[in-house]
Amino acid sequence: MAQTVKDTYSRSSEQADEVESLSRNLAETYEELSFIYKLNNAMNVTANPEEYFRQIAENLGELLGVKAVLVVLFPETLISGDKDNIVIHCGQLPASEEQIMNRVYPDMLVKGGCPVRRDPSHCLTYAAGDEELGQMLLAPILRGERRLGMIMALEPMSGRQFDNIDATRLSNVANIAAAFLENFRLYGSLRRLFLGSMRALTSSIDAKDPYTCGHSERVALLSKKIVELMGLSGIEAERIYLCGLLHDIGKIGVPEAVLQKPDKLTVYEFELVKQHPVIGAKIIRGIQEMEDLVPGVLHHHERMDGEGYPDGLGAKEIPFQARVLCVGDALDAMTSDRPYRKALPAKLAESEIFRAAGTQFDPALVEAVLKLNFPEYIAELRTHKGVQLPEDSYELRDSVSAEASYER
Amino acid sequence: MNNKLVLIADDEVHIREVVSYKLQSAGLEVIMARDGQEALELAKSEHPGLLIVDYQMPGLNGLEVCLQLRQEPQAQRIPAIMLTATGRGLDMAQAELDRAGIRVVIAKPFSPREVLSCAEELLGQEDAEVAAEKVEK
């Protein structure tokens, strides 16, 4: 009887241990799964890569129960032409990043060379006692044969040994990171190709009209700057930039003789010029990725007082993009030479814009323009790739007489 | 109210075990219920400091458990974390959640670490509120 009770007791205590061990494993698996979901969700190509890797480092540290996590992205992984490693770490590194790199870098380059163990997951495990470095687990971030970087887990808590489960987890994360980097690279190259094509297209419009040379690019930059001064950024600012680049694309449908005419336009000629926003909107309307730019292109000549074209929209009806382009367009037009007048000095252009707040321009945007640092903007223009800067214009001249005329 | 005691109510054994393992390893005490009715009874008799309750359970669902507890004078202050597999709860208005005392809604699959840190935070807040009330008295 006593024996039976004893047996039952020991069995139930064994079962309790088993349940606890199952629960622990299950909790770890849940943790891992939820981390991987999180990484996949954060894998947005427009995400800031350094922020993404910081998140990896922090979560990985907790998941693996280690004192530190070190992520190193090799040169040219994020930015082409970059010569330095990008280093992100969390926790207390046992030695300097340079010491760690010196220790592990040769192993990463040698195929099959294996300090302790090289498992099928490509992870390298380092035992403690290597110089002052403790135990380390390293997973390379690979694209095919190319090494983009590496993720390292350093010094497991409570002195346990790294095992295969740690290695699998780490290499799993490294694979997700590699996919993220690949997407980031492809997105960047697609974006450069797209913007390059758009620039080529708009330059060809600008080329028809030597007086507005580089105008589209400058309006794009100015408009972007203006919305940034209003606190917008990222995708929104980029869309405004693109809209600025394309705003005059409809001029392709306006006779060159009219665009290049040095004298004042006749009423009929001006009617032709006034068609360019409508033509431009028609050109881009068919492209799905540019649908959202149509309102900006179509209405960039509308005025707050309803006297603009093509639709004579009132203040509240003019789309935001269009209001921004309108200010950017006018500012650039005033500060560059035109067939019928010389460029205005920046200060004078500013006061013209200020004077037209509420009638021609959105007062909120005018406020942003007044915050614009002109010398800084001009310096930025000079360094910006693809901007043609007309000789002499954009300098802060002291006095130029100017009269308002049709701004095309 | 026992601010070291957490009531976990879920009809799925693996969720109960994982959450209770995580909480116990952080030094909290745990009682478990397999359905809404049992949760209601345990909450009334054991006075836990926190309820972690699944939305989808046989009989009473998690939301109903919380709403009914609001009617009980001795249990109406217990804060709750609701787990949800269907997304129900995530889409609810804050006012509706407040009415049930649900402070946090966590979607399954969840990170046990996150559940623990929410639990610790809510228990800590409760401690602070009790302390503040004592000072007032």
Side-chain angles (χ1 to χ4, degrees), chain A residues 226-237:
Chain A
I226 292 170
V227 296
E228 281 170 353
L229 287 169
M230 294 182 78
L232 295 188
S233 62
I235 297 274
E236 282 165 313

Side-chain angles (χ1 to χ4, degrees), chain A residues 108-357:
Chain A
M108 281 197 69
L109 300 181
V110 184
K111 257 192 174 171
C114 162
V116 170
R117 180 173 78 216
R118 184 189 282 265
D119 58 53
S121 62
H122 293 283
C123 271
L124 299 176
T125 312
Y126 294 82
D130 286 348
E131 292 141 36
E132 70 261 48
L133 301 172
Q135 272 193 77
M136 304 191 289
L137 186 65
L138 181 157
I141 304 173
L142 300 168
R143 176 171 71 233
E145 288 287 294
R146 201 182 146 201
R147 288 160 169 83
L148 304 176
M150 55 173 212
I151 304 183
M152 293 184 71
L154 302 126
E155 300 197 343
M157 302 276 197
S158 63
R160 67 178 184 91
Q161 300 284 314
F162 280 126
D163 58 19
N164 273 338
I165 297 167
D166 297 315
T168 308
R169 284 180 174 161
L170 192 66
S171 71
N172 203 335
V173 170
N175 288 340
I176 296 175
F180 170 80
L181 287 171
E182 181 66 354
N183 283 347
F184 182 77
R185 187 183 69 89
L186 288 173
Y187 177 73
S189 92
L190 204 61
R191 188 173 160 273
R192 280 190 296 277
L193 177 67
F194 176 67
L195 280 180
S197 312
M198 289 303 113
R199 279 205 193 106
L201 190 65
T202 51
S203 306
S204 66
I205 313 299
D206 287 355
K208 279 182 73 171
D209 183 353
Y211 284 99
T212 59
C213 175
H215 171 68
S216 301
E217 178 85 46
R218 294 193 305 265
V219 171
L221 269 180
L222 251 176
S223 304
K224 182 166 169 256
K225 266 220 116 58
I226 292 170
V227 296
E228 281 170 353
L229 287 169
M230 294 182 78
L232 295 188
S233 62
I235 297 274
E236 282 165 313
E238 170 127 353
R239 295 313 278 179
I240 293 275
Y241 174 86
L242 204 55
C243 203
L245 212 50
L246 292 168
H247 78 285
D248 270 350
I249 193 133
K251 282 193 175 168
I252 204 155
V254 178
E256 277 168 54
V258 175
L259 292 178
Q260 295 177 1
K261 187 178 173 184
D263 310 314
K264 203 167 175 174
L265 299 179
T266 66
V267 172
Y268 172 69
E269 285 166 339
F270 191 50
E271 283 305 316
L272 288 179
V273 170
K274 277 161 75 173
Q275 284 306 304
H276 82 269
V278 181
I279 301 169
K282 261 190 207 152
I283 291 174
I284 62 167
R285 188 163 277 144
I287 305 168
Q288 202 189 341
E289 283 73 16
M290 295 191 189
E291 265 323 295
D292 62 318
L293 307 180
V294 171
V297 171
L298 181 59
H299 295 300
H300 75 273
H301 279 290
E302 302 285 0
R303 295 167 51 109
M304 299 297 275
D305 57 12
E307 296 291 309
Y309 63 87
D311 293 335
L313 296 184
K316 291 203 177 106
E317 300 160 314
I318 309 173
F320 176 71
Q321 275 183 347
R323 279 179 275 153
V324 177
L325 292 190
C326 181
V327 183
D329 194 14
L331 199 55
D332 184 69
M334 280 193 272
T335 47
S336 25
D337 289 334
R338 282 294 155 101
Y340 38 88
R341 56 146 178 76
K342 294 288 279 180
L344 261 67
K347 278 280 158 235
L348 192 53
E350 255 180 31
S351 67
E352 284 292 311
I353 297 266
F354 184 67
R355 211 161 52 88

Side-chain angles (χ1 to χ4, degrees), chain A residues 19-20 23-24 26-27 30-31 34 37 59 62-63, chain B residues 14-15 17-18 20-22 109-114:
Chain A
V19 169
E20 177 171 333
S23 304
R24 188 178 53 242
L26 205 52
Y30 271 47
E31 210 69 74
S34 110
Y37 287 141
N59 283 284
E62 300 230 24
L63 178 68
Chain B
H14 59 100
I15 301 283
E17 288 299 334
V18 161
S20 76
Y21 166 77
K22 198 71 195 172
F110 53 81
S111 144
R113 185 149 47 85
E114 198 182 312

